[in-house]
Amino acid sequence: MIQVCLNGRRGADVSAAVPLSPEALARSAAEAVAAGATDIHVHPRTPCGQDTLSPRVVAATLTAIRAAVRVPVGVTTGAWAEPDPRRRVERVREWSVLPDHASVNWHEPGAEELATALLERGVGVEAGLWSGTEGHRLFRRSPVAPRVLRVLAEVTDTDPATATGSARLLLAEVGTAHGRPVLLHGEDGGAWPVAALAFRLGLGTRIGAEDVTVLPDGRPARSNAELVTEAVRLRQASTARSGPRGPGQP
């Protein structure tokens, strides 16, 4: 599985690969899926570029993307989009157009209540477990955890020399993940090394302008599709070197 994260909190001033409007997100999604992405993660943004859980903006974003692709589309529920935990739950209950899934960062206040509200509405939950946080401990003892769609194991170590070690430590902390699938991904300098590790371990990964804006050789990416194309090549190279592996096989 290769999930493409179309934008994140980055702006167009950071990279030409970052789409902003619903129409631009839809075009980017279609190109990324054509390049090999099988799932989409997006941050709905206000016209002034702020992440938001606004029902109107979420609906416009999902409608535009779904008109362009036929793969699952998920959104963020990060605390930066709505700092008040109770208001985040209220926003989810106000959504008129539902995503296929939504990420919930388990170290953020109100994560279990938010995940429960999403599940009650039939929205899959991606449990975001960040390295360097208490997320994995909170998740392991959560009664909601066995019901999530998958775990997003997010490596926040951006040093390419140490990111894979941090990734292995995070996976050990996550453990069996209540039997849920694990998607492993990194950020910035750690994005490509962690993606390569994910492929070697038979795990899904994520790539796109939210996580990294350069190609493995350091050249600036021109689009999310270009990032996905490189991820597909990386997966092919990993498979060619090591042969097929089962999920989670080291």
Side-chain angles (χ1 to χ4, degrees), residues 87-196:
R87 185 60 178 149
R88 282 203 299 277
V89 171
E90 290 171 0
R91 283 300 209 182
V92 163
R93 289 175 174 156
E94 292 167 353
W95 285 349
S96 58
V97 177
L98 298 177
D100 296 287
H101 50 76
S103 62
V104 176
N105 298 321
W106 229 259
H107 64 279
E108 294 177 347
E112 285 197 3
E113 292 80 4
L114 180 58
T116 299
L118 288 162
L119 291 168
E120 286 174 350
R121 300 214 64 192
V123 177
V125 171
E126 296 180 308
L129 307 185
W130 295 20
S131 63
T133 73
E134 293 294 305
H136 62 92
R137 293 187 181 89
L138 297 171
F139 181 76
R140 281 205 306 269
R141 61 176 184 255
S142 170
V144 182
R147 300 169 58 197
V148 306
L149 176 66
R150 60 177 155 257
V151 165
L152 299 182
E154 182 160 341
V155 181
T156 58
D157 181 354
T158 60
D159 185 339
T162 58
T164 55
S166 297
R168 289 185 181 277
L169 175 60
L170 177 58
L171 290 174
E173 292 172 335
V174 170
T176 61
H178 292 277
R180 309 317 301 148
V182 175
L183 185 156
L184 176 68
H185 73 98
E187 301 175 355
D188 293 321
W192 291 111
V194 172

Side-chain angles (χ1 to χ4, degrees), residues 33-77:
V33 169
T38 55
D39 193 275
I40 291 169
H41 174 77
V42 64
H43 290 211
R45 308 276 281 273
T46 66
C48 61
Q50 298 299 311
D51 279 20
T52 182
L53 303 184
S54 157
R56 179 180 58 81
V57 177
V58 169
T61 301
L62 292 175
T63 300
I65 293 174
R66 284 177 171 152
V69 299
R70 294 292 182 270
V71 301
V73 184
V75 301
T76 184
T77 62

Side-chain angles (χ1 to χ4, degrees), residues 168-243:
R168 289 185 181 277
L169 175 60
L170 177 58
L171 290 174
E173 292 172 335
V174 170
T176 61
H178 292 277
R180 309 317 301 148
V182 175
L183 185 156
L184 176 68
H185 73 98
E187 301 175 355
D188 293 321
W192 291 111
V194 172
L197 176 64
F199 290 137
R200 291 198 299 273
L201 298 178
L203 301 174
T205 197
R206 189 179 91 174
I207 208 73
E210 175 176 359
D211 291 335
V212 65
T213 58
V214 298
L215 303 175
D217 62 7
R219 289 181 295 122
R222 294 171 294 181
S223 66
N224 280 303
E226 194 170 25
L227 291 166
V228 171
T229 296
E230 291 302 318
V232 170
R233 288 175 181 165
L234 189 63
R235 180 177 62 188
Q236 292 169 340
S238 177
T239 301
R241 283 195 301 269
S242 58

